[in-house]
Amino acid sequence: MTRRTIVYGISILALCLTLGAAWVTLRGGGDSLASFVPAKAGPKAVQKTGQTPAPPQTETIQQPTAEVLSNRVAEYHIDVTLNEQEGTLTGSETLTWTHPGKKTINEVYLHLYPNAFASEDTTFMKESGGKLRNDVMPKDGWGSMEITELKTTDGISLLHRIQYVQPDDGNTKDKTLAKVRLPVPVQGGESLTLRMKFTVKLPKIFARMGVADDFVMAGQWFPKISVYEPVGTRGRTSEGWNLHQYHGNSEFYSDFGIYSVRINVPETYTVAATGFQTKKAVLKDGRKTLQFYADDVHDFAWAASPNFIYVEEPFSSAEVPGVRIKLYLDPAHKDLKERYFYAAKVALANYSKWYGRYPYSTLSVVVPPANANGAGGMEYPTLVTAFGAVSDSPGYDDLERTVIHEIAHQFFYGMIANNEFEEAWLDEAFASYAEDKLMEQEFGITPNLPIQSAMITSPASLTQNAWKYGSGDGYAKNAYYRGKLILLDIERQVGSKTMKRILSTYSQKYRFKHPTTADFQRVVEQVTSRSWKEYFQQYVYDGKMADFAVEKIQITPISQEGGRIYESNVVFTRKGATHPKVPLLFTFTDGHTVRKQWNGEDTRLEIKMQYKAPLAWVQIDPDYTLTVENLHINNYLKAEVPETTLSRSNMSVTKLLEAILGGLLW
């Protein structure tokens, strides 16, 4: 059953009120943070209480449904207030976490992501150099997070039990991950509830979150529990915490859960948030409080501004029963709403068809102002940010492509939810692949794949930790581009119809499951009924690329009765990974051509051909079908070219490519 705006009948409403009252009685009182609270054990069904009030600012008011899609390990109830003058957030949080493993634990771990911006000595700042893509940290733009209260439901304070840990690099000045020693152990299957208060000094926006004038992007803004992985999760043979700091390249990894969040902002502000609004805004003293709810998501983000132009439209298709698409436009893009709606609609319709239906009732698109572009191009559950409103007439890449790419993340990052710290390509490459398919289908825009493959100058394993790529440039070339090229190469080997089955099977099987690269490989092998072990080992795990070269052409005239023929001897070499289909083109001086195919396994191949005319030139992969080959310059060789000319030509082409590609990377 899809999540939609539901108009409840009197009998259903009465039943909900009765169930809600009974549940609160059993629990021993209500929770001040929410008017509906999930059950505590197992897959948590949501109880509903209260009448549905009239919507504020044309927002659609909704209530949660009882459909359970994930294991819902974590449950958050958060109250947060924005101080727009100081650029701070003050919050209280009740976190209930259900231990998904079997071993008894004595500590939990919390991500405190805003501390990445506390000083130039944090791991994020040292690795990024204060830059993300083309955005640079503003002067004096520091931010931080402090937990001011942490206690159990029995009132035992745990503040003195907080210890900052740095499992990745030992940087003692990094406080993005904290261990909390518990007063009482937690056994498998038991639930732990912690109550905390926290403050956040929002940084000036350059990397995903922060403030820019009166625009606020609250991403990774609250204390979030780390992922505890039971045996079998992501191939684990022994259960335990998955612990990483906030790095310059990496993004995030969290468990699925339930979020009930109340946000207090000035009355003039409009708020976009994960999930949907459940109550009419409460107005008091020039401010307002809005309550949002989301379930089966692994994060919660929100944005606020007094300048948003808010527009929404309902959307449905054969695969999307009903979604409300909500636009929060910067005024500079107020006349571009139709472009945003179209991009969002074709993305939802096609991705739902290809990768399984979008299960949520809302999708919000936030367009940041030009000076907050660092918050643009980012994905959160049911909420994406577009490219900042830098231009009032953006091109396809700045508007449609960005929206389409970020919505693709809803299906991979959002629902499949791989570990972005450790296997970022399962999100970024898959979203990039989907983005290219849709841009070609809807707008006729095709990527220049030979140029993109030539950008891969330092290929590396796709299963290494995101920060191990070094620079953001190296991370992007591998996690985005190289990973996408590998998916395209698999498609060209098996055909588009089979590739659709592979991705559909993978997406449906591992929805809400946190899969690994090995899981994807198994799906490829199951659908194609053959082993891909060697291929994945070379291209995915070892980080290799193909490199086939024409080494030598030797032509020998042979006299025969009735005339002369020519024996052309061509030597090919393999300098990189193997590939099962390597096209070869031989062109003779009279225009005659011969095509052959090499299995690409041997390190050396010698082909002799006799023909009435001498060989003019040879080219490997003349149609550029090998998306995984990044060194095309040695794919072509003429039979007769002076050595000095050949060297000069190669050098100039190499320098030209370097100059072109240097301006393309982000």
Side-chain angles (χ1 to χ4, degrees):
M1 181 177 70
T2 187
R3 291 169 171 75
R4 302 187 189 186
T5 302
I6 300 174
V7 180
Y8 291 98
I10 296 175
S11 60
I12 296 176
L13 179 58
L15 175 61
C16 291
L17 286 167
T18 302
L19 289 173
W23 191 90
V24 170
T25 301
L26 287 172
R27 193 178 188 195
D31 190 328
S32 63
L33 294 177
S35 63
F36 46 85
V37 188
K40 296 303 300 170
K44 303 167 184 134
V46 177
Q47 310 294 341
K48 311 174 186 70
T49 64
Q51 295 184 352
T52 303
Q57 300 180 342
T58 72
E59 287 271 10
T60 301
I61 306 303
Q62 297 175 263
Q63 292 287 351
T65 71
E67 184 179 12
V68 177
L69 303 173
S70 70
N71 56 3
R72 298 184 178 180
V73 170
E75 178 186 332
Y76 294 87
H77 297 273
I78 308 175
D79 241 329
V80 62
T81 297
L82 167 69
N83 184 327
E84 71 282 6
Q85 301 298 324
E86 300 294 330
T88 61
L89 303 177
T90 303
S92 60
E93 174 180 323
T94 297
L95 163 65
T96 299
W97 175 77
T98 302
H99 186 354
K102 296 181 179 180
K103 292 182 178 180
T104 300
I105 63 164
N106 297 293
E107 70 276 329
V108 295
Y109 293 83
L110 299 174
H111 289 291
L112 310 178
Y113 289 117
N115 282 335
F117 310 104
S119 76
E120 61 186 10
D121 296 320
T122 70
T123 295
F124 181 95
M125 293 300 294
K126 291 172 73 173
E127 291 179 353
S128 69
K131 298 178 181 179
L132 187 67
R133 293 177 283 196
N134 293 323
D135 298 290
V136 180
M137 182 174 182
K139 190 175 182 180
D140 301 324
W142 305 111
S144 61
M145 168 181 278
E146 180 183 7
I147 296 179
T148 57
E149 180 178 291
L150 178 62
K151 59 185 180 181
T152 66
T153 51
D154 297 328
I156 300 173
S157 176
L158 305 181
L159 271 181
H160 63 291
R161 294 171 176 261
I162 295 176
Q163 176 187 353
Y164 297 106
V165 293
Q166 302 83 22
D168 298 325
D169 63 3
N171 176 12
T172 57
K173 295 185 178 180
D174 188 85
K175 297 182 178 181
T176 57
L177 183 65
K179 177 171 71 175
V180 181
R181 290 179 292 109
L182 301 174
V184 179
V186 179
Q187 298 181 6
E190 291 184 342
S191 293
L192 167 71
T193 296
L194 298 175
R195 301 187 189 278
M196 62 191 84
K197 294 181 180 179
F198 62 93
T199 59
V200 176
K201 171 61 178 174
L202 292 166
K204 293 181 180 178
I205 292 177
F206 82 99
R208 304 187 181 100
M209 70 168 295
V211 293
D213 296 331
D214 49 11
F215 171 82
V216 176
M217 184 68 232
Q220 308 301 332
W221 55 279
F222 59 95
K224 185 195 297 186
I225 195 163
S226 299
V227 177
Y228 188 93
E229 297 178 322
V231 172
T233 301
R234 300 179 55 253
R236 288 192 75 134
T237 56
S238 61
E239 65 183 71
W241 293 99
N242 186 272
L243 303 174
H244 296 296
Q245 301 154 241
Y246 193 1
H247 291 271
N249 290 336
S250 69
E251 292 186 17
F252 314 103
Y253 176 43
S254 305
D255 268 320
F256 288 96
I258 294 171
Y259 290 83
S260 175
V261 181
R262 294 201 306 188
I263 303 170
N264 181 271
V265 295
E267 187 177 345
T268 57
Y269 277 54
T270 299
V271 176
T274 292
F276 49 82
Q277 190 175 331
T278 62
K279 286 186 175 183
K280 182 179 179 180
V282 177
L283 306 180
K284 183 179 180 181
D285 299 329
R287 300 183 67 84
K288 65 182 177 184
T289 300
L290 304 99
Q291 183 161 319
F292 294 88
Y293 175 86
D295 54 24
D296 299 313
V297 297
H298 53 77
D299 198 4
F300 188 100
W302 57 278
S305 171
N307 304 313
F308 280 145
I309 294 175
Y310 175 79
V311 195
E312 76 167 54
E313 283 188 7
F315 174 70
S316 62
S317 69
E319 289 78 22
V320 184
V323 175
R324 300 203 73 83
I325 301 174
K326 304 179 179 185
L327 302 184
Y328 299 83
L329 301 171
D330 182 81
H333 282 194
K334 61 182 175 61
D335 296 326
L336 302 177
K337 65 178 182 180
E338 295 306 324
R339 289 179 62 182
Y340 281 105
F341 274 130
Y342 184 79
K345 290 174 182 178
V346 296
L348 282 176
N350 285 281
Y351 294 155
S352 291
K353 180 179 180 180
W354 300 342
Y355 311 124
R357 75 173 179 87
Y358 182 77
Y360 307 109
S361 61
T362 61
L363 174 68
S364 297
V365 180
V366 175
V367 182
N371 64 342
N373 192 52
M378 189 60 192
E379 70 280 358
Y380 305 94
T382 78
L383 184 150
V384 301
T385 60
F387 193 75
V390 176
S391 167
D392 59 3
S393 182
Y396 283 115
D397 282 353
D398 290 341
L399 198 159
E400 284 83 358
R401 182 179 292 278
T402 302
V403 172
I404 282 171
H405 177 89
E406 302 310 330
I407 294 176
H409 279 302
Q410 297 295 315
F411 293 80
F412 297 104
Y413 150 87
M415 284 177 270
I416 293 176
N418 63 284
N419 186 332
E420 292 186 289
F421 289 111
E422 299 179 9
E423 295 178 282
W425 88 286
L426 289 175
D427 176 39
E428 298 297 354
F430 283 60
S432 297
Y433 171 93
E435 160 208 330
D436 278 357
K437 292 293 182 185
L438 196 53
M439 288 299 294
E440 181 175 1
Q441 174 183 298
E442 295 297 326
F443 305 104
I445 298 174
T446 57
N448 190 322
L449 297 178
I451 288 290
Q452 291 187 6
S453 62
M455 293 163 63
I456 316 299
T457 54
S458 299
S461 170
L462 294 180
T463 56
Q464 70 180 9
N465 294 335
W467 58 95
K468 296 290 181 66
Y469 292 105
S471 67
D473 178 68
Y475 168 69
K477 286 179 181 178
N478 282 280
Y480 287 74
Y481 292 111
R482 202 170 76 79
K484 179 191 72 173
L485 294 171
I486 288 171
L487 293 177
L488 288 169
D489 185 61
I490 294 173
E491 178 181 355
R492 290 185 177 185
Q493 291 185 54
V494 304
S496 60
K497 184 177 180 180
T498 300
M499 190 62 177
K500 287 179 180 178
R501 281 202 298 127
I502 288 171
L503 291 175
S504 175
T505 301
Y506 169 72
S507 300
Q508 298 276 19
K509 182 175 182 178
Y510 291 107
R511 183 173 277 210
F512 304 103
K513 295 292 194 301
H514 309 300
T516 63
T517 298
D519 293 320
F520 175 64
Q521 179 184 338
R522 278 191 287 272
V523 170
V524 175
E525 293 176 336
Q526 290 165 3
V527 172
T528 60
S529 299
R530 66 182 177 90
S531 173
W532 286 77
K533 181 178 179 180
E534 184 179 1
Y535 183 89
F536 270 74
Q537 189 62 53
Q538 293 181 95
Y539 289 100
V540 179
Y541 299 112
D542 290 345
K544 293 181 179 179
M545 293 288 280
D547 181 14
F548 298 99
V550 188
E551 291 291 341
K552 183 174 67 173
I553 299 175
Q554 184 176 357
I555 301 174
T556 304
I558 300 174
S559 297
Q560 291 183 337
E561 286 186 17
R564 174 184 290 184
I565 64 171
Y566 296 87
E567 182 177 84
S568 299
N569 186 35
V570 185
V571 176
F572 301 91
T573 60
R574 176 177 62 82
K575 300 181 178 181
T578 63
H579 196 279
K581 297 178 181 179
V582 183
L584 307 174
L585 175 64
F586 303 83
T587 301
F588 296 85
T589 55
D590 65 352
H592 176 65
T593 61
V594 174
R595 287 181 179 264
K596 291 181 178 290
Q597 184 168 287
W598 177 21
N599 65 16
E601 292 183 359
D602 298 328
T603 56
R604 187 177 186 276
L605 172 68
E606 185 173 346
I607 294 180
K608 293 182 179 180
M609 305 178 70
Q610 291 185 351
Y611 183 64
K612 64 182 180 180
L615 191 65
W617 52 268
V618 177
Q619 186 171 2
I620 300 171
D621 190 27
D623 301 317
Y624 293 95
T625 58
L626 297 180
T627 62
V628 289
E629 177 157 24
N630 60 333
L631 297 175
H632 303 100
I633 202 164
N634 55 13
N635 285 15
Y636 174 87
L637 189 65
K638 283 188 175 182
E640 296 181 3
V641 178
E643 186 65 30
T644 54
T645 304
L646 180 63
S647 298
R648 259 198 319 273
S649 173
N650 281 352
M651 182 61 71
S652 63
V653 171
T654 300
K655 293 297 183 184
L656 177 61
L657 272 175
E658 288 177 352
I660 293 173
L661 297 178
L664 291 177
L665 299 180
W666 55 279

